[in-house]
Amino acid sequence: VRAVAESSAFSALRRLRLANNRLGPVAARLLSDSVHLAGLHSLDLCQNPIKDSGLARLIEAAFWTGLVELELHGCEIGEAGVR
């Protein structure tokens, strides 16, 4: 995840599928802090334990307002994360 988040080679990326990769809150932070992923329209993080704290970071991401598809089932997000 760090390599994708830090590389300008992914600046044109519109869809990112990272389902079932054991990614946690730290990976969510790396993705959300990336200036190179600002153009994302679709993000699939299914079956990764990103938890409430990871979702909170994703909401702050530059790409958040441009997302039209977000897949988070099986990400161990509770009621607090949904609020």
Coordinates of all heavy atoms in Angstrom, one line a residue:
V1 N 0.8 -1.2 0.0 CA 0.0 0.0 0.0 C 0.9 1.3 0.0 O 0.6 2.2 -0.7 CB -1.0 0.0 1.2 CG1 -1.7 1.3 1.4 CG2 -2.0 -1.1 1.0
R2 N 1.9 1.2 0.8 CA 2.8 2.4 0.8 C 3.3 2.8 -0.6 O 3.4 3.9 -1.0 CB 4.0 2.2 1.8 CG 4.9 3.4 2.0 CD 6.0 3.1 2.9 NE 5.6 2.6 4.2 CZ 5.2 3.4 5.2 NH1 5.1 4.7 5.0 NH2 4.8 2.9 6.4
A3 N 3.7 1.7 -1.3 CA 4.3 2.0 -2.7 C 3.3 2.7 -3.6 O 3.6 3.6 -4.3 CB 4.8 0.7 -3.3
V4 N 2.0 2.2 -3.5 CA 1.0 2.8 -4.3 C 0.7 4.2 -3.9 O 0.6 5.2 -4.7 CB -0.3 2.0 -4.2 CG1 -1.5 2.7 -4.9 CG2 -0.1 0.6 -4.9
A5 N 0.6 4.4 -2.6 CA 0.2 5.7 -2.0 C 1.3 6.8 -2.3 O 1.0 8.0 -2.5 CB 0.0 5.6 -0.5
E6 N 2.6 6.4 -2.3 CA 3.7 7.3 -2.5 C 4.1 7.5 -3.9 O 5.0 8.4 -4.1 CB 4.8 6.9 -1.6 CG 4.5 7.0 -0.1 CD 5.6 6.5 0.8 OE1 6.7 6.0 0.3 OE2 5.5 6.7 2.0
S7 N 3.6 6.8 -4.8 CA 4.1 6.9 -6.2 C 3.3 7.8 -7.1 O 2.0 7.6 -7.2 CB 4.2 5.5 -6.8 OG 4.6 5.6 -8.2
S8 N 3.9 8.7 -7.8 CA 3.2 9.6 -8.7 C 2.7 8.8 -10.0 O 1.9 9.3 -10.7 CB 4.0 10.7 -9.1 OG 5.2 10.3 -9.8
A9 N 3.3 7.6 -10.2 CA 2.9 6.8 -11.3 C 1.4 6.4 -11.2 O 0.8 6.0 -12.2 CB 3.7 5.5 -11.3
F10 N 0.8 6.5 -10.0 CA -0.6 6.1 -9.8 C -1.6 7.3 -9.8 O -2.7 7.2 -9.5 CB -0.8 5.3 -8.6 CG -0.1 4.0 -8.6 CD1 1.1 3.8 -8.0 CD2 -0.7 2.9 -9.3 CE1 1.8 2.6 -8.1 CE2 0.0 1.7 -9.3 CZ 1.2 1.6 -8.7
S11 N -1.1 8.5 -10.3 CA -1.9 9.7 -10.3 C -3.1 9.6 -11.1 O -4.1 10.3 -10.8 CB -1.0 10.9 -10.7 OG 0.0 11.1 -9.8
A12 N -3.1 8.9 -12.2 CA -4.2 8.7 -13.1 C -5.2 7.6 -12.7 O -6.2 7.4 -13.3 CB -3.8 8.5 -14.5
L13 N -4.9 6.9 -11.6 CA -5.7 5.8 -11.2 C -7.1 6.2 -10.8 O -7.2 7.2 -10.0 CB -5.0 5.1 -10.0 CG -5.4 3.7 -9.5 CD1 -5.2 2.7 -10.6 CD2 -4.7 3.3 -8.3
R14 N -8.1 5.5 -11.3 CA -9.5 5.9 -10.9 C -10.1 4.8 -10.1 O -11.1 5.0 -9.4 CB -10.3 6.1 -12.2 CG -9.8 7.3 -13.0 CD -9.9 8.6 -12.3 NE -9.3 9.7 -13.0 CZ -8.2 10.3 -12.6 NH1 -7.5 9.9 -11.5 NH2 -7.7 11.3 -13.2
R15 N -9.6 3.6 -10.3 CA -10.2 2.4 -9.5 C -9.1 1.6 -8.8 O -8.1 1.3 -9.5 CB -10.9 1.5 -10.5 CG -11.6 0.4 -9.9 CD -12.5 -0.4 -10.8 NE -13.4 -1.1 -10.1 CZ -14.4 -1.9 -10.6 NH1 -14.5 -1.9 -11.9 NH2 -15.2 -2.5 -9.8
L16 N -9.3 1.4 -7.6 CA -8.3 0.7 -6.8 C -9.0 -0.5 -6.0 O -9.9 -0.2 -5.2 CB -7.6 1.6 -5.8 CG -6.5 1.0 -5.0 CD1 -5.4 0.4 -5.8 CD2 -5.9 2.1 -4.1
R17 N -8.6 -1.7 -6.3 CA -9.2 -2.9 -5.6 C -8.1 -3.5 -4.8 O -7.2 -4.1 -5.3 CB -9.7 -3.8 -6.7 CG -10.8 -3.2 -7.6 CD -11.3 -4.1 -8.6 NE -12.3 -5.0 -7.9 CZ -12.8 -6.1 -8.4 NH1 -12.5 -6.5 -9.6 NH2 -13.6 -6.8 -7.7
L18 N -8.3 -3.5 -3.5 CA -7.4 -4.0 -2.5 C -8.1 -5.0 -1.6 O -7.7 -5.2 -0.4 CB -6.7 -2.9 -1.7 CG -5.8 -2.0 -2.5 CD1 -5.4 -0.8 -1.6 CD2 -4.6 -2.7 -3.0
A19 N -9.2 -5.6 -2.0 CA -9.9 -6.5 -1.2 C -9.1 -7.7 -0.7 O -8.2 -8.2 -1.4 CB -11.1 -7.1 -2.0
N20 N -9.4 -8.1 0.5 CA -8.8 -9.3 1.1 C -7.3 -9.3 1.2 O -6.6 -10.3 0.7 CB -9.3 -10.6 0.4 CG -9.3 -11.8 1.2 OD1 -9.2 -11.7 2.5 ND2 -9.4 -12.9 0.6
N21 N -6.7 -8.3 1.6 CA -5.2 -8.1 1.7 C -4.7 -7.9 3.2 O -3.6 -7.5 3.3 CB -4.7 -7.0 0.8 CG -4.6 -7.4 -0.6 OD1 -3.8 -8.2 -1.0 ND2 -5.5 -6.9 -1.4
R22 N -5.6 -8.1 4.1 CA -5.2 -7.9 5.6 C -4.7 -6.5 5.9 O -3.8 -6.3 6.6 CB -4.1 -8.9 6.0 CG -4.6 -10.3 5.9 CD -3.5 -11.3 6.4 NE -3.8 -12.6 5.9 CZ -2.9 -13.5 5.7 NH1 -1.6 -13.3 6.0 NH2 -3.2 -14.7 5.3
L23 N -5.4 -5.5 5.2 CA -5.0 -4.1 5.4 C -5.8 -3.6 6.6 O -7.0 -3.8 6.8 CB -5.3 -3.3 4.2 CG -4.7 -3.8 2.9 CD1 -5.2 -2.9 1.7 CD2 -3.2 -3.8 3.0
G24 N -5.1 -2.9 7.5 CA -5.7 -2.3 8.7 C -5.8 -0.8 8.6 O -5.6 -0.2 7.6
P25 N -6.0 -0.2 9.8 CA -6.1 1.3 9.9 C -4.9 2.0 9.4 O -5.0 3.1 8.8 CB -6.3 1.5 11.4 CG -6.8 0.2 11.9 CD -6.2 -0.8 11.1
V26 N -3.7 1.5 9.5 CA -2.5 2.1 9.0 C -2.5 2.2 7.5 O -2.2 3.3 6.9 CB -1.2 1.4 9.5 CG1 0.0 2.0 8.8 CG2 -1.1 1.5 11.0
A27 N -2.9 1.2 6.9 CA -3.1 1.2 5.4 C -4.1 2.2 5.0 O -3.9 3.0 4.0 CB -3.4 -0.2 4.9
A28 N -5.2 2.3 5.7 CA -6.2 3.3 5.4 C -5.7 4.7 5.5 O -5.9 5.6 4.7 CB -7.4 3.1 6.3
R29 N -4.8 4.9 6.5 CA -4.2 6.2 6.7 C -3.2 6.6 5.5 O -3.2 7.7 5.0 CB -3.4 6.3 8.0 CG -2.7 7.6 8.2 CD -1.8 7.7 9.5 NE -0.9 6.6 9.6 CZ 0.3 6.5 8.9 NH1 0.7 7.5 8.2 NH2 1.1 5.5 9.1
L30 N -2.5 5.6 5.1 CA -1.5 5.8 4.0 C -2.3 6.1 2.7 O -1.9 7.1 2.0 CB -0.7 4.5 3.7 CG 0.3 4.2 4.8 CD1 0.9 2.8 4.6 CD2 1.4 5.3 4.8
L31 N -3.4 5.5 2.5 CA -4.2 5.8 1.3 C -4.8 7.2 1.4 O -4.8 7.9 0.4 CB -5.3 4.7 1.1 CG -4.9 3.3 0.8 CD1 -6.1 2.4 0.9 CD2 -4.3 3.3 -0.6
S32 N -5.4 7.5 2.6 CA -6.0 8.8 2.7 C -5.1 10.0 2.7 O -5.4 11.0 2.2 CB -6.8 8.8 4.0 OG -6.0 8.8 5.1
D33 N -3.8 9.7 3.0 CA -2.8 10.8 3.0 C -2.2 11.0 1.7 O -1.5 12.0 1.4 CB -1.7 10.5 4.1 CG -2.2 10.7 5.5 OD1 -3.3 11.3 5.7 OD2 -1.4 10.3 6.4
S34 N -2.5 10.1 0.7 CA -1.8 10.2 -0.6 C -2.4 11.3 -1.5 O -3.6 11.4 -1.7 CB -2.0 8.9 -1.3 OG -1.5 9.0 -2.6
V35 N -1.5 12.2 -1.9 CA -1.9 13.2 -2.9 C -2.0 12.6 -4.3 O -2.7 13.1 -5.1 CB -0.9 14.4 -2.9 CG1 -0.9 15.1 -1.6 CG2 0.5 13.9 -3.3
H36 N -1.4 11.4 -4.5 CA -1.4 10.8 -5.8 C -2.7 10.0 -6.1 O -3.0 9.7 -7.2 CB -0.2 9.9 -6.0 CG 1.1 10.5 -5.7 ND1 1.5 11.5 -6.5 CD2 2.0 10.3 -4.8 CE1 2.7 12.0 -6.1 NE2 3.0 11.2 -5.0
L37 N -3.5 9.8 -5.1 CA -4.8 9.1 -5.3 C -6.0 10.0 -5.2 O -7.1 9.5 -5.1 CB -4.9 8.0 -4.2 CG -3.8 6.9 -4.2 CD1 -4.0 6.0 -3.0 CD2 -3.8 6.2 -5.5
A38 N -5.8 11.3 -5.4 CA -6.9 12.3 -5.3 C -7.9 12.1 -6.4 O -9.1 12.5 -6.2 CB -6.3 13.7 -5.4
G39 N -7.6 11.4 -7.5 CA -8.6 11.2 -8.5 C -9.4 9.9 -8.5 O -10.1 9.6 -9.4
L40 N -9.2 9.2 -7.4 CA -10.0 7.9 -7.3 C -11.5 8.1 -7.3 O -12.0 9.0 -6.8 CB -9.7 7.2 -5.9 CG -8.4 6.3 -5.8 CD1 -8.4 5.7 -4.4 CD2 -8.4 5.3 -6.9
H41 N -12.1 7.2 -8.1 CA -13.6 7.2 -8.2 C -14.2 5.9 -7.5 O -15.3 5.9 -7.1 CB -14.0 7.3 -9.6 CG -13.7 8.6 -10.3 ND1 -13.9 8.8 -11.6 CD2 -13.2 9.7 -9.8 CE1 -13.5 10.0 -11.9 NE2 -13.1 10.6 -10.8
S42 N -13.3 4.9 -7.4 CA -13.8 3.6 -6.9 C -12.7 3.0 -6.0 O -11.6 2.9 -6.4 CB -14.1 2.7 -8.1 OG -14.5 1.4 -7.6
L43 N -13.1 2.6 -4.8 CA -12.2 2.0 -3.9 C -12.8 0.8 -3.2 O -13.9 0.8 -2.7 CB -11.8 3.0 -2.8 CG -10.9 2.5 -1.7 CD1 -9.5 2.1 -2.3 CD2 -10.6 3.7 -0.7
D44 N -12.2 -0.4 -3.4 CA -12.6 -1.6 -2.8 C -11.7 -2.1 -1.7 O -10.5 -2.5 -2.0 CB -12.8 -2.7 -3.9 CG -13.3 -4.0 -3.4 OD1 -13.4 -4.2 -2.2 OD2 -13.5 -4.9 -4.3
L45 N -12.1 -2.0 -0.5 CA -11.3 -2.5 0.6 C -12.0 -3.7 1.4 O -11.6 -3.9 2.5 CB -11.0 -1.3 1.6 CG -10.2 -0.2 1.1 CD1 -10.2 1.0 2.1 CD2 -8.7 -0.7 0.9
C46 N -12.9 -4.4 0.7 CA -13.6 -5.5 1.4 C -12.7 -6.5 2.0 O -11.6 -6.8 1.5 CB -14.5 -6.2 0.3 SG -15.8 -5.2 -0.3
Q47 N -13.2 -7.0 3.1 CA -12.5 -8.1 3.8 C -11.1 -7.7 4.4 O -10.2 -8.5 4.4 CB -12.4 -9.4 3.0 CG -13.8 -9.9 2.5 CD -14.7 -10.2 3.7 OE1 -14.3 -10.7 4.7 NE2 -16.0 -9.9 3.5
N48 N -11.0 -6.4 4.7 CA -9.7 -5.9 5.4 C -10.1 -5.3 6.7 O -11.1 -4.6 6.8 CB -9.1 -4.8 4.5 CG -8.4 -5.4 3.3 OD1 -7.5 -6.2 3.3 ND2 -8.9 -5.0 2.1
P49 N -9.4 -5.6 7.8 CA -9.8 -5.1 9.1 C -9.4 -3.6 9.3 O -8.6 -3.3 10.1 CB -9.0 -6.0 10.0 CG -7.8 -6.4 9.3 CD -8.3 -6.5 7.8
I50 N -10.0 -2.7 8.5 CA -9.6 -1.3 8.6 C -10.3 -0.7 9.9 O -9.8 0.4 10.3 CB -9.9 -0.5 7.4 CG1 -11.4 -0.4 7.1 CG2 -9.2 -1.0 6.2 CD1 -11.8 0.7 6.1
K51 N -11.4 -1.2 10.3 CA -12.0 -0.8 11.6 C -12.5 0.6 11.5 O -12.4 1.3 10.5 CB -11.1 -1.0 12.8 CG -10.6 -2.5 12.9 CD -9.8 -2.7 14.1 CE -9.2 -4.1 14.2 NZ -10.2 -5.1 14.4
D52 N -13.1 1.1 12.6 CA -13.7 2.4 12.7 C -12.6 3.5 12.4 O -12.8 4.5 11.8 CB -14.3 2.7 14.0 CG -15.5 1.8 14.3 OD1 -16.1 1.2 13.3 OD2 -15.9 1.6 15.4
S53 N -11.4 3.3 13.0 CA -10.4 4.3 12.9 C -9.9 4.5 11.5 O -9.6 5.6 11.0 CB -9.2 4.0 13.8 OG -8.7 2.7 13.5
G54 N -9.8 3.4 10.7 CA -9.4 3.4 9.3 C -10.5 4.2 8.5 O -10.1 5.0 7.6
L55 N -11.8 3.9 8.8 CA -12.8 4.6 8.0 C -12.8 6.1 8.3 O -12.9 6.9 7.4 CB -14.2 4.0 8.4 CG -15.4 4.7 7.7 CD1 -15.3 4.7 6.2 CD2 -16.7 4.0 8.2
A56 N -12.5 6.5 9.6 CA -12.4 7.9 9.9 C -11.3 8.6 9.1 O -11.5 9.7 8.7 CB -12.1 8.0 11.4
R57 N -10.2 7.9 8.9 CA -9.1 8.5 8.0 C -9.6 8.6 6.6 O -9.3 9.6 5.9 CB -7.9 7.6 8.2 CG -7.2 7.7 9.5 CD -6.9 9.1 9.9 NE -6.0 9.8 9.0 CZ -4.7 10.1 9.1 NH1 -4.1 9.7 10.3 NH2 -4.0 10.7 8.2
L58 N -10.3 7.6 6.1 CA -10.7 7.6 4.7 C -11.6 8.8 4.4 O -11.6 9.4 3.3 CB -11.4 6.3 4.3 CG -10.5 5.1 4.2 CD1 -11.3 3.8 4.0 CD2 -9.5 5.2 3.1
I59 N -12.5 9.1 5.4 CA -13.4 10.2 5.2 C -12.7 11.5 5.0 O -13.2 12.5 4.4 CB -14.4 10.2 6.4 CG1 -15.3 9.0 6.4 CG2 -15.2 11.5 6.5 CD1 -16.1 8.8 7.6
E60 N -11.5 11.6 5.6 CA -10.7 12.9 5.5 C -9.8 12.9 4.2 O -9.2 13.9 3.9 CB -9.7 12.9 6.7 CG -10.4 13.0 8.0 CD -9.5 12.9 9.2 OE1 -8.3 12.7 9.0 OE2 -10.0 13.0 10.3
A61 N -9.8 11.9 3.4 CA -9.0 11.8 2.2 C -9.4 12.8 1.1 O -10.6 13.1 1.0 CB -9.1 10.4 1.6
A62 N -8.4 13.2 0.3 CA -8.7 14.2 -0.8 C -9.6 13.5 -1.8 O -10.4 14.2 -2.4 CB -7.4 14.6 -1.4
F63 N -9.6 12.2 -1.9 CA -10.4 11.5 -2.9 C -11.8 11.3 -2.4 O -12.7 10.9 -3.2 CB -9.8 10.2 -3.4 CG -9.5 9.2 -2.3 CD1 -10.5 8.5 -1.7 CD2 -8.2 9.0 -1.9 CE1 -10.3 7.6 -0.7 CE2 -7.9 8.1 -0.9 CZ -9.0 7.3 -0.3
W64 N -12.1 11.5 -1.2 CA -13.4 11.2 -0.6 C -14.6 11.8 -1.3 O -15.6 11.1 -1.7 CB -13.5 11.6 0.9 CG -14.8 11.2 1.6 CD1 -15.8 12.1 1.9 CD2 -15.2 9.9 2.0 NE1 -16.8 11.4 2.4 CE2 -16.5 10.1 2.5 CE3 -14.6 8.7 1.9 CZ2 -17.2 9.0 3.0 CZ3 -15.3 7.6 2.4 CH2 -16.6 7.7 3.0
T65 N -14.6 13.0 -1.7 CA -15.7 13.7 -2.3 C -15.9 13.2 -3.8 O -17.0 13.3 -4.3 CB -15.6 15.2 -2.3 OG1 -14.3 15.6 -3.0 CG2 -15.6 15.8 -0.9
G66 N -14.9 12.6 -4.4 CA -15.0 12.1 -5.8 C -15.4 10.7 -5.9 O -15.6 10.2 -7.0
L67 N -15.4 10.0 -4.7 CA -15.7 8.6 -4.8 C -17.2 8.4 -5.2 O -18.1 9.0 -4.6 CB -15.5 7.9 -3.4 CG -14.1 7.5 -3.0 CD1 -14.1 6.9 -1.6 CD2 -13.5 6.6 -4.0
V68 N -17.4 7.5 -6.1 CA -18.8 7.1 -6.5 C -19.0 5.6 -6.1 O -20.2 5.2 -6.1 CB -19.0 7.3 -8.0 CG1 -19.0 8.8 -8.3 CG2 -18.1 6.6 -8.8
E69 N -18.0 4.9 -5.8 CA -18.1 3.5 -5.3 C -17.1 3.3 -4.2 O -15.9 3.5 -4.4 CB -17.8 2.6 -6.5 CG -18.0 1.1 -6.2 CD -17.7 0.2 -7.4 OE1 -16.9 0.6 -8.2 OE2 -18.4 -0.8 -7.4
L70 N -17.6 2.8 -3.1 CA -16.8 2.4 -2.0 C -17.3 1.1 -1.4 O -18.5 0.9 -1.0 CB -16.9 3.5 -0.9 CG -16.1 3.3 0.4 CD1 -14.6 3.2 0.1 CD2 -16.4 4.3 1.4
E71 N -16.4 0.1 -1.4 CA -16.8 -1.2 -0.9 C -16.1 -1.5 0.4 O -14.8 -1.5 0.5 CB -16.3 -2.3 -2.0 CG -17.0 -2.2 -3.3 CD -18.4 -2.7 -3.3 OE1 -18.8 -3.4 -2.4 OE2 -19.2 -2.3 -4.2
L72 N -16.9 -1.7 1.4 CA -16.3 -1.9 2.8 C -16.9 -3.1 3.6 O -16.7 -3.1 4.7 CB -16.5 -0.6 3.6 CG -15.8 0.7 3.2 CD1 -16.2 1.8 4.0 CD2 -14.3 0.5 3.3
H73 N -17.6 -4.0 2.9 CA -18.1 -5.1 3.7 C -17.0 -6.0 4.2 O -16.0 -6.2 3.5 CB -19.2 -5.8 2.9 CG -18.8 -6.5 1.7 ND1 -18.8 -5.9 0.5 CD2 -18.4 -7.8 1.5 CE1 -18.3 -6.8 -0.4 NE2 -18.1 -7.9 0.2
G74 N -17.2 -6.4 5.4 CA -16.2 -7.3 6.1 C -15.0 -6.5 6.6 O -13.9 -7.1 6.8
C75 N -15.2 -5.2 6.8 CA -14.0 -4.4 7.3 C -14.0 -4.1 8.8 O -13.3 -3.2 9.2 CB -14.0 -3.1 6.5 SG -13.5 -3.3 4.8
E76 N -14.9 -4.8 9.5 CA -14.9 -4.7 11.0 C -15.3 -3.3 11.4 O -14.7 -2.7 12.3 CB -13.6 -5.2 11.6 CG -13.3 -6.6 11.3 CD -12.0 -7.1 11.9 OE1 -11.5 -6.5 12.8 OE2 -11.5 -8.1 11.4
I77 N -16.2 -2.7 10.7 CA -16.7 -1.3 11.0 C -17.9 -1.4 11.9 O -18.9 -2.1 11.5 CB -16.9 -0.5 9.8 CG1 -15.6 -0.3 9.0 CG2 -17.5 0.9 10.1 CD1 -15.7 0.3 7.6
G78 N -17.9 -0.8 13.0 CA -19.0 -0.9 13.9 C -19.9 0.4 13.8 O -19.8 1.2 12.9
E79 N -20.8 0.5 14.8 CA -21.8 1.6 14.8 C -21.1 2.9 14.9 O -21.4 3.9 14.2 CB -22.7 1.5 16.0 CG -23.9 0.6 15.7 CD -24.9 0.6 16.8 OE1 -25.2 1.7 17.3 OE2 -25.3 -0.5 17.3
A80 N -20.0 3.0 15.7 CA -19.3 4.3 15.8 C -18.7 4.7 14.5 O -18.6 5.9 14.2 CB -18.2 4.1 16.9
G81 N -18.2 3.8 13.7 CA -17.6 4.1 12.4 C -18.6 4.6 11.4 O -18.3 5.4 10.6
V82 N -19.8 4.1 11.5 CA -20.9 4.5 10.6 C -21.4 5.9 10.9 O -21.8 6.6 10.0 CB -22.0 3.5 10.6 CG1 -23.2 3.9 9.8 CG2 -21.6 2.1 10.2
R83 N -21.3 6.3 12.1 CA -21.8 7.7 12.5 C -20.8 8.7 11.9 O -20.8 9.6 11.5 CB -21.8 7.8 14.0 CG -22.9 7.0 14.6 CD -23.0 7.1 16.1 NE -23.8 6.1 16.6 CZ -23.9 5.7 17.8 NH1 -23.2 6.4 18.7 NH2 -24.6 4.8 18.2

